[in-house]
Amino acid sequence: MKRKARPGSATSAPHPVEPTVVLSPSEQLRPLSENELDVLEQIGSHWAEVLRRDGGSLPAPPIDPAPGRYAKPVLPSRLGRFARVRMSKREAPEEAVAVGPAGPPRSRLGGALHTARRLMTGPPLRSSAVMEERMRKIVALPVLASDLLSSVAYGPQAMLTVLALGGSVALALSLPISVALIVLMVAVGTSYRQTIRAYPSGAGSYLVASDNLGPRAGLAAGAGLLTDYVLTVSVSIAAGIQAITSAIPSLAPYTVELGVLAIAILLAGNLRGVRQAGYLFAAPTYAFLVAMFALIGFGLAKSGAHGFAVTPPPAQTATEAVTLFLIVRAFASGATSMTGIEAVSNALPVMRPVEWRNGRTVLTVMVGLLVFLFAGLMILFHLGGIMPQAGETMLSQLARRTFGGGPAYAYVQITTALILLLAANTAFSDFPRLLFFMARDYYAPRLFLRMGDRLGFSNGIIVLAVAAASVFAVLGGRTEALIPLYAVGVFLAFTLSQAGMVVHWWRRRTEGWRRSMAINGLGATLSAVVALAAAVTKFTEGAWIVVFGIPLAVLVCLRIRRHYDLVGRALALHTLPSSARGRRFVPSPEAWGRPSQARRPAVGQEQEESPEEIDHLAVVAIARMDLASLHALAYAASLGQPVLAVHISPDADEATDFRRQWQRFGDPLPLEIVDSPYRAIVAPLVHYLEALHAHPAEVTLTVLLPEIVSRHLWTQVLHNQVAGRLRRALRPLPGVVVTTVPFHVRD
Amino acid sequence: MKRKARPGSATSAPHPVEPTVVLSPSEQLRPLSENELDVLEQIGSHWAEVLRRDGGSLPAPPIDPAPGRYAKPVLPSRLGRFARVRMSKREAPEEAVAVGPAGPPRSRLGGALHTARRLMTGPPLRSSAVMEERMRKIVALPVLASDLLSSVAYGPQAMLTVLALGGSVALALSLPISVALIVLMVAVGTSYRQTIRAYPSGAGSYLVASDNLGPRAGLAAGAGLLTDYVLTVSVSIAAGIQAITSAIPSLAPYTVELGVLAIAILLAGNLRGVRQAGYLFAAPTYAFLVAMFALIGFGLAKSGAHGFAVTPPPAQTATEAVTLFLIVRAFASGATSMTGIEAVSNALPVMRPVEWRNGRTVLTVMVGLLVFLFAGLMILFHLGGIMPQAGETMLSQLARRTFGGGPAYAYVQITTALILLLAANTAFSDFPRLLFFMARDYYAPRLFLRMGDRLGFSNGIIVLAVAAASVFAVLGGRTEALIPLYAVGVFLAFTLSQAGMVVHWWRRRTEGWRRSMAINGLGATLSAVVALAAAVTKFTEGAWIVVFGIPLAVLVCLRIRRHYDLVGRALALHTLPSSARGRRFVPSPEAWGRPSQARRPAVGQEQEESPEEIDHLAVVAIARMDLASLHALAYAASLGQPVLAVHISPDADEATDFRRQWQRFGDPLPLEIVDSPYRAIVAPLVHYLEALHAHPAEVTLTVLLPEIVSRHLWTQVLHNQVAGRLRRALRPLPGVVVTTVPFHVRD
């Protein structure tokens, strides 16, 4: 397994380094291509001509847009939160800068919520506070190993639970299966060592599989890992709670509540951002290792004192025949002991240089520890005749047997629970990061690119917490119900990642590629066998959810990508045919109804239009002649564009009344009344506007909706919700712009 | 009790008739006062001067606003529903009419929902289809009596359930308490006869109490009745299901499901509008009466054959001492037998003329029937030694004992269930009507004035169904848990209504007022005693919800009224001080920062503004330079008003990039970049706009938000939700108008 250090490869990676991933808040904005910039320039020069800005056809802003010159204290409104903006004086005298984070709204409820949020997450951090914390090996090991090592708290038990179904005969197979699992651990570990060498800047399964096997394989690995992270949280919390309820059985009925509470605490901690506490996180892992070493040492010593006599386990009644199926199922369940082995390859950027070398060392130590713990526990379970039983974990039984019920026993249980909590916590940094990578490639909603107040990807954190808590609650926090879902996704990701490495070595053929390819090939094959075994043998127990879920997730990701590509193309700047330029539709009553010669954009899609090409009609929807309506009418009339008032009347008498009022008003603007004998308001108005819009003259309709705004949320329900409904109904209409003219009521 | 027919009073009411309530869809619009119309005229003449519409400062609409002339088939959009609009040719050649109800949207899901809704409720009805159906006495009796008569299915049992707590000693008191209840029935019935005479156009407790005792008493009666209607549905459905499960005990575990299903069926039926089926509704009541007469007749005959020997009830172990408290509690429980006695007085407008006279006849017959049924059942219960027992109602026990388990027994159970369903159904017309009256007086949200597609008040119907189903489900559909909540609200409403009548007679002092006042006074006193008794003795069993709920509801109603009054005043048209006229702020860079001399409206409230008084600045919020942003910029520029582009930049590099792009664009419009180091977008933009708005020059800011609109709902989550959040954040700012410029993507 040891590779000779070659000259020149000590400080630099053996292959071209991928650029280190920069997590920047501007990642959310797609940059403009050089071609688009050219088009922008062309469009701009046309606009300049049209607008003759200096000549003066468009008036200059009536007020100075730089607020610094007259800034006076502005108080936040009752409902809104805002961040203070000041002119930045030194760097860019013309630029405004938000000098603080968003403050609380002035309403009492809003303020309380704001305070609660601040207390939970702390004050927002500036983008410039993003920093890469590099970890020494002694710190990296416990932080990265927690997920892997904590798996021995449930993996062996999951395996023996299956075997017990076959009765005492099947139990005799536990040691051979354990040996097979240890071979698997070493093989996969070695395989990941190769990956680390090839991808020194971080080698998540999603990246490696995408890079070498194409986007579909990458997405499958990504989807597998996402389910894995959700289940890591659920399973680890479930096992942690089990460690506690094994010691204190009276807490058992509150398993679901305790689990959801634990997830809520992890959520709060991660929203706050616990990265800086990395050193603190080292403690539970070392404490757990101490507990395990003590347990295995004392246990073996105690057993040695009795000449390693095997206590026969309580007689098991076989409920299933000992078939190959049962054995494979037990093997697949036991394989959950090695979940988390991929942690180092994901986290290389947080290692100190030389990252890949340190990473390999950490990985080797981790796998060594895993093999030791797994083997030690399996031997002790065998010697002690310990079997899975309801209400107490096997680890708890072993500890109780070895140490009695005293403080040493309590120490084992507490450290087990702590490392499991820590393992769940690692998923809270991996899951959002993976979603970030997927969103950056347009395979996941862009909102996962957004950095929260504390520079974490809060959207991903929240999604993980909700998903894990739901899975946990639905399955009642029972580890045995969660395990079948677990293995498939993990080993699928392992398989794809290592198969990707095989392709990688095949393509590059750098020095020693044959050996690396062979190692990765073995790892991929073994992982594939486990994934397949898990999918088949646990299909009916819940694995079907993952088996069908992952392809579905891949499809959804591809659809998301397709949508973003489509939007990207639709939004990309491109030149218009020159024939479209210079047209101007001159409205005249005679021209009504005659088709215009002008270019007509495809229905359903706006094209870039030059300002002079837009003909306006402002349509003001009026229910009754009150100040709010007059305000909207005045606003419309003051724009200097043609105005049309529309009234939807529920019956003929009301229509007559309204027309009379309008005449009394002096008929200053054209009015159209639409009778609506079925009392609907939105539907006839929408059709009327569509009918207007069907006119060939291609007019942009600006629909103005007077809206009463009151200061309290509860009073909003007292007013007609028509404005909101109209806005939603008018949204899909091309060429219709909706403007809400608020009328504020002080209440 | 009989009153001599006085000449002249046979066809006309003895007192000035209140105008009959017209249920019109235009009720939702507050009419304009004469003073407001004057103001409207003044404002209009000023506007005409300003706009010089004929002279031409404001261009005429570029297209004909009457769509009839060029109407071509317009298809509904994917997401919107619309109603076809055609020019009405005959009546008003200049008016458009929606010729059909709203059609289905084109999306598959929307279409399916639309079809499901149509299947459930039938096609929408024209407003002109509102019609008053008048009922003959023979039809009115069963329809109005169902609520009252069905009460004997649960009232006696509720009373005996309480008495049984006191053991056999207490049970001996059942007959004396029954006599007291019969006295109460006759007294309240007689009292309502007075009310009917005085309010021949409908005498709901809310109206009578408001009219005579003031709005607070009216609201208390209204709130009492609203809870009563909700509980009528819950209790009647619970008792109906009990009648069924008594016959078929295997259905008992599905009580909640069956009850919610029954409420759902009532909801669907009432949304569809079942008024036309009035005659159909007569059947169950008569069928129930037949069943009861047969039961009582056979039962008495059978008992007579045995010389009216009293079968002693199974020995009851007393769990409570026989105190006055227990007796009063039993009395209050038994009083639920007379809920629904107010039905006639509410429903007078549906009677044939002479309404009040026919109403009185119907009421007298109803009360007579009630007394007969109640007395008959109580005697039979006593003779047969029938006691409340779990799993079978007393009525079912009696019927089983009298008829055996054969078809006659089944008939009793089926008709009991049917009349109870019918009783629940009456609440579905009373509850929305009461809410309509309260909303018309501005004590309830105006949305309860809205007539649905089928001319029913669908909002009220839905609220009732949801409330009743919730109460039913929370209390597990157990009649005995619902009863304690029931009596308080009903008898409070009775008390207030009859106390109102006392005041009425005292004020009017028409012929025979002393006698009428005495009768109503007695009714009010007895009702008050029952209400008080119920509130005190059942307080801990659930009555506290009603005791605290009703005052709370009154407070909420008063707050609602206050809010509507405030909005009404704010919206009312009023003249502005003439000094405000003629001002025009001329923007110039030199004037920046200097306070304007112009009138400044109170912050938080727009005043009517004349078009020439509004100075514009269009602020376009831009994230990146794509077609959607250019479209919004072009729209803004084409308005001919000053434009300012604003970009919120998450970091300094991005700001530099953006400025470079803008320069490449040719800098055709002023641009302001706001640095947001905390990555917030909404908060700094809101503060920037507030800062701009704090400028003394009083400029109306139109904030233009480019928004990507895709055709599918699921893809909307893939885009930034910033536009929506900005719209909500900007809503409270006075003088800020928000315009969404959609950019449609075909996907």
Side-chain angles (χ1 to χ4, degrees):
Chain A
M1 287 294 155
K2 272 199 139 188
R3 222 162 47 77
K4 269 178 284 181
R6 280 163 296 155
S9 74
T11 51
S12 72
H15 300 296
V17 185
E18 329 272 310
T20 306
V21 175
V22 180
L23 308 182
S24 152
S26 52
E27 198 68 62
Q28 274 188 279
L29 302 170
R30 206 192 278 248
L32 291 184
S33 70
E34 198 46 48
N35 178 41
E36 283 188 292
L37 286 171
D38 287 343
V39 173
L40 189 64
E41 204 173 326
Q42 286 171 40
I43 295 172
S45 70
H46 175 74
W47 280 40
E49 199 182 299
V50 172
L51 295 176
R52 294 186 303 277
R53 191 187 159 201
D54 299 329
S57 84
L58 205 64
I63 49 180
D64 185 353
R69 302 201 198 151
Y70 55 85
K72 62 167 198 176
V74 176
L75 288 172
S77 67
R78 263 186 79 80
L79 291 171
R81 305 166 64 214
F82 76 22
R84 273 186 203 292
V85 170
R86 284 274 176 282
M87 295 312 289
S88 79
K89 267 152 207 157
R90 275 158 304 178
E91 307 110 48
E94 276 308 306
E95 218 146 272
V97 169
V99 290
R106 272 203 301 177
S107 75
R108 237 176 285 166
L109 177 68
L113 285 175
H114 178 86
T115 309
R117 195 174 150 192
R118 282 284 160 274
L119 281 176
M120 198 175 87
T121 66
L125 297 174
R126 298 177 67 97
S127 303
S128 53
V130 175
M131 57 160 198
E132 296 271 325
E133 193 193 359
R134 298 274 174 159
M135 289 192 284
R136 284 188 299 154
K137 272 179 283 184
I138 196 83
V139 177
L141 175 69
V143 170
L144 299 175
S146 63
D147 188 6
L148 179 65
L149 297 184
S150 68
S151 306
V152 297
Y154 47 81
Q157 173 157 357
M159 178 176 117
L160 288 172
T161 306
V162 175
L163 277 184
L165 296 173
S168 306
V169 188
L171 279 176
L173 293 168
S174 71
L175 287 188
I177 296 179
S178 299
V179 172
L181 280 172
I182 288 171
V183 171
L184 181 68
M185 287 168 194
V186 174
V188 173
T190 317
S191 185
Y192 264 108
R193 279 174 56 95
Q194 306 302 316
T195 310
I196 288 172
R197 183 161 63 101
Y199 284 84
S201 66
S205 305
Y206 167 69
L207 294 178
V208 173
S210 302
D211 204 17
N212 295 298
L213 301 175
R216 272 154 218 270
L219 289 175
L225 277 180
L226 289 180
T227 56
D228 174 29
Y229 293 138
V230 172
L231 289 165
T232 295
V233 176
S234 303
V235 170
S236 301
I237 296 285
I241 304 264
Q242 250 188 327
I244 293 165
T245 55
S246 295
I248 314 165
S250 60
L251 286 179
Y254 306 104
T255 298
V256 172
E257 289 84 348
L258 286 172
V260 172
L261 179 72
I263 293 173
I265 290 169
L266 288 178
L267 169 66
N270 280 280
L271 284 180
R272 194 177 180 98
V274 277
R275 239 174 295 189
Q276 62 276 28
Y279 289 86
L280 243 174
F281 279 12
T285 307
Y286 284 122
F288 177 72
L289 281 176
V290 168
M292 288 299 109
F293 279 121
L295 184 62
I296 294 171
F298 272 91
L300 286 178
K302 230 174 159 177
S303 183
H306 297 84
F308 294 107
V310 177
T311 314
Q316 299 290 318
T317 0
T319 53
E320 287 187 28
V322 186
T323 55
L324 184 64
F325 186 84
L326 188 78
I327 294 165
V328 172
R329 207 167 122 206
F331 176 77
S333 287
T336 54
S337 306
M338 51 185 292
T339 51
I341 205 169
E342 80 286 4
V344 180
S345 63
N346 289 337
L348 280 178
V350 306
M351 308 288 289
R352 292 211 176 153
V354 181
E355 293 88 353
W356 69 271
R357 175 158 299 220
N358 285 332
R360 288 180 82 152
T361 313
V362 167
L363 178 60
T364 308
V365 174
M366 266 166 63
V367 174
L369 285 171
L370 173 68
V371 169
F372 174 77
L373 294 188
F374 182 79
L377 290 177
M378 285 309 299
I379 289 168
L380 286 176
F381 288 153
H382 178 73
L383 290 175
I386 291 171
M387 286 302 305
Q389 68 183 45
E392 186 166 16
T393 64
M394 290 173 66
L395 207 56
S396 167
Q397 292 177 52
L398 179 65
R400 204 188 286 275
R401 194 186 189 98
T402 311
F403 297 123
Y409 166 74
Y411 178 78
V412 172
Q413 293 307 106
I414 290 169
T415 54
T416 306
L418 276 180
I419 197 177
L420 283 163
L421 201 68
L422 188 54
N425 193 61
T426 58
F428 274 92
S429 46
D430 293 342
F431 183 91
R433 199 171 44 195
L434 177 55
L435 267 180
F436 171 86
F437 289 135
M438 291 172 76
R440 212 184 39 165
D441 298 344
Y442 297 97
Y443 288 119
R446 307 285 287 168
L447 58 92
F448 292 116
L449 294 180
R450 180 164 165 73
M451 297 177 102
D453 281 346
R454 300 285 293 183
L455 297 171
F457 300 109
S458 20
N459 291 325
I461 291 172
I462 292 166
V463 166
L464 173 62
V466 170
S470 310
V471 169
F472 187 91
V474 166
L475 295 183
R478 288 172 299 120
T479 320
E480 60 277 19
L482 290 160
I483 291 280
L485 292 145
Y486 198 16
V488 185
V490 189
F491 280 90
L492 177 68
F494 287 0
T495 309
L496 290 169
S497 155
Q498 286 162 94
M501 287 311 298
V502 173
V503 173
H504 174 93
W505 298 121
W506 176 254
R507 286 197 188 140
R508 309 277 176 120
R509 314 221 179 158
T510 46
E511 199 194 325
W513 66 273
R514 280 194 189 82
R515 194 167 155 280
S516 297
M517 199 169 92
I519 294 172
N520 280 133
L522 180 68
T525 312
L526 291 180
S527 300
V529 168
V530 179
L532 203 68
V536 171
T537 58
K538 298 172 174 182
F539 191 80
T540 53
E541 286 173 87
W544 64 270
I545 302 173
V546 180
V547 170
F548 290 118
I550 287 178
L552 190 73
V554 172
L555 273 181
V556 169
C557 290
L558 290 172
R559 282 296 299 268
I560 289 175
R561 170 70 184 246
R562 209 176 83 188
H563 176 77
Y564 277 129
D565 284 349
L566 198 142
V567 171
R569 277 197 300 277
L571 288 177
L573 300 174
H574 55 262
T575 33
L576 288 177
S578 59
S579 68
R581 297 272 173 232
R583 159 194 89 88
R584 179 133 190 98
F585 177 78
V586 184
S588 72
E590 295 74 41
W592 281 343
R594 257 187 276 144
S596 143
Q597 298 303 314
R599 160 189 68 89
R600 199 157 168 67
V603 173
Q605 179 145 353
E606 286 84 4
Q607 307 244 356
E608 178 273 320
E609 285 178 282
S610 188
E612 89 285 8
E613 289 173 0
I614 300 176
D615 293 309
H616 286 278
L617 174 60
V619 179
V620 189
I622 290 179
R624 69 185 280 272
M625 294 300 293
D626 51 28
L627 274 194
S629 300
L630 278 183
H631 184 65
L633 281 173
Y635 176 86
S638 69
L639 286 173
Q641 303 289 343
V643 175
L644 170 68
V646 173
H647 173 70
I648 307 285
S649 173
D651 57 28
D653 291 349
E654 205 278 339
T656 314
D657 276 0
F658 193 87
R659 194 170 286 287
R660 205 173 295 137
Q661 286 170 17
W662 193 260
Q663 271 148 10
R664 189 99 182 243
F665 183 39
D667 201 12
L669 295 164
L671 167 72
E672 186 67 33
I673 294 182
V674 178
D675 256 8
S676 175
Y678 295 92
R679 298 167 305 286
I681 295 167
V682 175
L685 185 54
V686 170
H687 184 237
Y688 178 71
L689 293 171
E690 288 207 38
L692 280 187
H693 204 65
H695 191 281
E698 197 197 327
V699 168
T700 296
L701 297 177
T702 301
V703 181
L704 293 117
L705 307 171
E707 191 175 24
I708 293 168
V709 177
S710 69
R711 290 207 296 175
H712 303 289
L713 279 177
W714 75 271
T715 47
Q716 276 302 319
V717 289
L718 300 178
H719 298 288
N720 253 319
Q721 306 301 313
V722 172
R725 280 168 57 213
L726 262 176
R727 199 190 301 118
R728 280 190 293 279
L730 294 174
R731 246 173 144 254
L733 303 192
V736 173
V737 171
V738 178
T739 297
T740 314
V741 185
F743 184 86
H744 294 88
V745 176
R746 283 211 267 180
D747 60 340
Chain B
M1 288 296 156
K2 271 201 137 189
R3 224 166 44 82
K4 270 179 284 179
R6 282 162 296 154
S9 74
T11 51
S12 73
H15 300 296
V17 185
E18 331 272 311
T20 307
V21 174
V22 180
L23 307 182
S24 152
S26 51
E27 198 69 60
Q28 273 188 279
L29 302 170
R30 206 192 277 249
L32 291 184
S33 70
E34 197 47 48
N35 178 40
E36 283 187 294
L37 287 171
D38 287 343
V39 173
L40 189 63
E41 203 174 326
Q42 285 171 43
I43 295 172
S45 71
H46 175 73
W47 280 40
E49 198 183 299
V50 172
L51 293 177
R52 295 185 304 277
R53 190 187 161 199
D54 299 329
S57 86
L58 206 63
I63 47 180
D64 185 352
R69 301 200 198 151
Y70 55 86
K72 61 168 198 175
V74 176
L75 288 171
S77 69
R78 263 186 79 82
L79 292 170
R81 304 167 65 214
F82 76 19
R84 271 185 204 292
V85 170
R86 285 274 175 283
M87 296 312 288
S88 79
K89 267 152 207 156
R90 275 157 304 178
E91 308 110 47
E94 276 308 305
E95 219 147 87
V97 170
V99 289
R106 272 203 303 176
S107 75
R108 237 176 284 166
L109 179 68
L113 286 175
H114 178 86
T115 309
R117 195 174 151 191
R118 281 285 161 275
L119 280 177
M120 200 175 84
T121 66
L125 298 174
R126 297 176 68 94
S127 303
S128 53
V130 175
M131 56 160 199
E132 295 270 325
E133 193 193 359
R134 298 271 174 162
M135 290 192 285
R136 284 187 299 153
K137 273 181 282 185
I138 195 83
V139 176
L141 174 70
V143 170
L144 299 175
S146 64
D147 189 7
L148 179 65
L149 297 185
S150 67
S151 305
V152 297
Y154 48 82
Q157 173 156 356
M159 176 176 118
L160 289 172
T161 306
V162 175
L163 277 185
L165 297 173
S168 306
V169 188
L171 279 177
L173 293 167
S174 71
L175 288 187
I177 296 179
S178 299
V179 172
L181 279 172
I182 287 170
V183 171
L184 181 69
M185 288 169 194
V186 173
V188 172
T190 317
S191 184
Y192 265 108
R193 279 174 57 94
Q194 307 303 316
T195 311
I196 288 173
R197 184 162 63 99
Y199 284 84
S201 66
S205 304
Y206 167 69
L207 295 178
V208 173
S210 302
D211 202 19
N212 295 297
L213 302 174
R216 272 153 217 271
L219 289 175
L225 277 180
L226 289 180
T227 56
D228 173 29
Y229 293 137
V230 172
L231 290 165
T232 295
V233 176
S234 305
V235 170
S236 299
I237 295 285
I241 305 264
Q242 248 188 328
I244 292 167
T245 55
S246 293
I248 314 167
S250 61
L251 286 179
Y254 305 106
T255 298
V256 172
E257 288 84 348
L258 286 173
V260 172
L261 180 72
I263 293 173
I265 290 170
L266 287 178
L267 169 66
N270 280 281
L271 284 180
R272 194 177 179 95
V274 276
R275 238 175 295 190
Q276 63 275 29
Y279 288 86
L280 243 174
F281 280 12
T285 307
Y286 283 122
F288 176 74
L289 282 176
V290 168
M292 288 299 109
F293 279 121
L295 184 62
I296 295 171
F298 271 89
L300 287 179
K302 230 172 157 177
S303 182
H306 296 84
F308 295 107
V310 176
T311 314
Q316 301 288 319
T317 359
T319 53
E320 286 188 29
V322 186
T323 55
L324 183 64
F325 186 85
L326 188 79
I327 294 165
V328 172
R329 208 168 119 207
F331 176 77
S333 288
T336 55
S337 307
M338 53 186 291
T339 52
I341 206 169
E342 81 287 3
V344 179
S345 63
N346 289 337
L348 281 179
V350 306
M351 308 288 289
R352 292 210 175 154
V354 183
E355 293 88 352
W356 69 271
R357 175 157 298 218
N358 286 331
R360 287 179 84 151
T361 313
V362 167
L363 178 61
T364 309
V365 174
M366 266 166 62
V367 173
L369 285 170
L370 173 68
V371 169
F372 174 76
L373 294 187
F374 183 79
L377 289 177
M378 286 308 300
I379 290 168
L380 286 177
F381 289 153
H382 178 73
L383 290 177
I386 292 170
M387 285 302 305
Q389 67 182 46
E392 186 166 16
T393 63
M394 290 173 67
L395 208 55
S396 165
Q397 293 176 51
L398 179 65
R400 204 187 286 276
R401 192 187 190 99
T402 311
F403 297 123
Y409 166 74
Y411 177 78
V412 172
Q413 293 308 105
I414 290 170
T415 52
T416 306
L418 276 181
I419 199 178
L420 283 162
L421 200 68
L422 187 54
N425 192 61
T426 57
F428 274 92
S429 47
D430 293 341
F431 183 92
R433 198 171 45 197
L434 177 54
L435 267 180
F436 171 86
F437 289 134
M438 292 173 74
R440 212 183 39 166
D441 297 344
Y442 297 97
Y443 288 119
R446 305 286 285 169
L447 58 92
F448 291 116
L449 293 179
R450 178 163 167 74
M451 296 176 102
D453 281 346
R454 302 284 294 182
L455 298 171
F457 299 110
S458 21
N459 292 325
I461 291 172
I462 292 167
V463 166
L464 173 62
V466 170
S470 311
V471 170
F472 188 91
V474 166
L475 295 183
R478 287 171 302 119
T479 320
E480 60 276 19
L482 290 160
I483 291 279
L485 292 143
Y486 199 17
V488 184
V490 189
F491 280 89
L492 177 69
F494 287 0
T495 309
L496 289 168
S497 154
Q498 286 161 94
M501 287 311 299
V502 172
V503 173
H504 174 93
W505 298 121
W506 177 254
R507 285 196 188 141
R508 309 277 176 119
R509 314 219 181 161
T510 46
E511 198 195 326
W513 67 274
R514 279 194 192 81
R515 193 167 156 279
S516 296
M517 199 170 92
I519 293 172
N520 281 134
L522 180 68
T525 312
L526 290 180
S527 300
V529 168
V530 179
L532 203 69
V536 171
T537 59
K538 298 172 174 183
F539 190 79
T540 53
E541 285 172 89
W544 62 270
I545 302 173
V546 181
V547 170
F548 291 118
I550 288 177
L552 191 72
V554 172
L555 273 182
V556 169
C557 289
L558 290 172
R559 283 295 299 268
I560 289 175
R561 169 70 184 245
R562 209 176 82 188
H563 175 77
Y564 278 129
D565 284 349
L566 197 140
V567 171
R569 278 196 302 276
L571 288 177
L573 300 175
H574 55 263
T575 34
L576 289 177
S578 58
S579 68
R581 297 272 172 232
R583 159 196 88 87
R584 179 130 189 98
F585 177 77
V586 184
S588 73
E590 297 74 42
W592 281 344
R594 258 186 277 144
S596 142
Q597 298 304 315
R599 159 191 67 92
R600 197 157 169 68
V603 172
Q605 182 146 351
E606 287 83 2
Q607 308 244 354
E608 179 273 322
E609 284 178 281
S610 188
E612 89 286 7
E613 288 174 2
I614 299 177
D615 292 310
H616 286 279
L617 174 60
V619 179
V620 188
I622 289 179
R624 70 184 279 273
M625 293 300 292
D626 51 28
L627 275 194
S629 301
L630 278 183
H631 184 67
L633 281 172
Y635 175 87
S638 69
L639 286 174
Q641 303 289 344
V643 175
L644 171 68
V646 173
H647 173 71
I648 307 285
S649 173
D651 57 29
D653 291 349
E654 205 277 339
T656 315
D657 276 0
F658 193 86
R659 194 170 287 287
R660 206 173 295 136
Q661 288 169 17
W662 193 261
Q663 271 148 10
R664 190 98 182 246
F665 184 40
D667 202 12
L669 296 164
L671 167 73
E672 186 68 33
I673 293 181
V674 178
D675 257 7
S676 175
Y678 295 92
R679 299 166 304 288
I681 294 169
V682 174
L685 185 54
V686 170
H687 184 237
Y688 178 71
L689 293 170
E690 288 207 39
L692 280 188
H693 204 67
H695 191 279
E698 197 198 326
V699 167
T700 296
L701 296 177
T702 301
V703 181
L704 292 117
L705 307 171
E707 191 175 24
I708 294 168
V709 177
S710 68
R711 290 207 294 175
H712 302 288
L713 279 177
W714 76 270
T715 47
Q716 276 302 318
V717 288
L718 300 178
H719 298 289
N720 253 320
Q721 306 301 312
V722 172
R725 280 169 56 216
L726 263 176
R727 198 189 300 118
R728 282 190 292 279
L730 294 173
R731 247 172 144 254
L733 303 192
V736 174
V737 171
V738 178
T739 296
T740 314
V741 185
F743 184 85
H744 293 89
V745 176
R746 283 211 267 179
D747 59 339

